[in-house]
Amino acid sequence: ALRYYTRALDIRESMLGPDHPDTARALSNCGIVWQKLGAFDKAFECHGRALAIVERSQNLGPEHPDASRTLCDLGDVNDDAGRYE
């Protein structure tokens, strides 16, 4: 799965740019797989980048449901990693 999600991310970054909402979605997908693999730091990095894109987006922003979903993803990663603070 990671191979395909990473490839999709590469395509979206090159075609749409690093700040496009579709790039954020691809980052979140990669983050979910990294989390399942137990690579929590990589998962957190992917979700963190996705959140930054969503929050900066003129069409989305920090109050958009995508931001909320990504915050939940970050919480899930921390929970699985045993980081409860």
Side-chain angles (χ1 to χ4, degrees):
L2 184 60
R3 175 177 59 157
Y4 297 109
Y5 284 134
T6 302
R7 185 172 171 207
L9 172 60
D10 291 342
I11 292 168
R12 289 179 183 179
E13 281 184 319
S14 67
M15 298 301 295
L16 303 173
D19 294 322
H20 194 278
D22 286 347
T23 300
R25 288 184 198 99
L27 281 163
S28 288
N29 289 338
C30 289
I32 290 167
V33 176
W34 281 120
Q35 179 180 351
K36 289 180 179 182
L37 292 171
F40 302 119
D41 290 337
K42 289 183 180 185
F44 195 82
E45 178 185 343
C46 288
H47 290 305
R49 284 181 57 201
L51 181 62
I53 293 168
V54 171
E55 289 182 336
R56 286 192 311 261
S57 172
Q58 291 179 351
N59 295 329
L60 302 178
E63 303 302 319
H64 191 275
D66 283 3
S68 175
R69 178 185 49 84
T70 307
L71 286 166
C72 287
D73 290 340
L74 286 164
D76 287 342
V77 171
N78 281 324
D79 184 33
D80 286 354
R83 299 185 289 229
Y84 302 110
E85 296 286 325

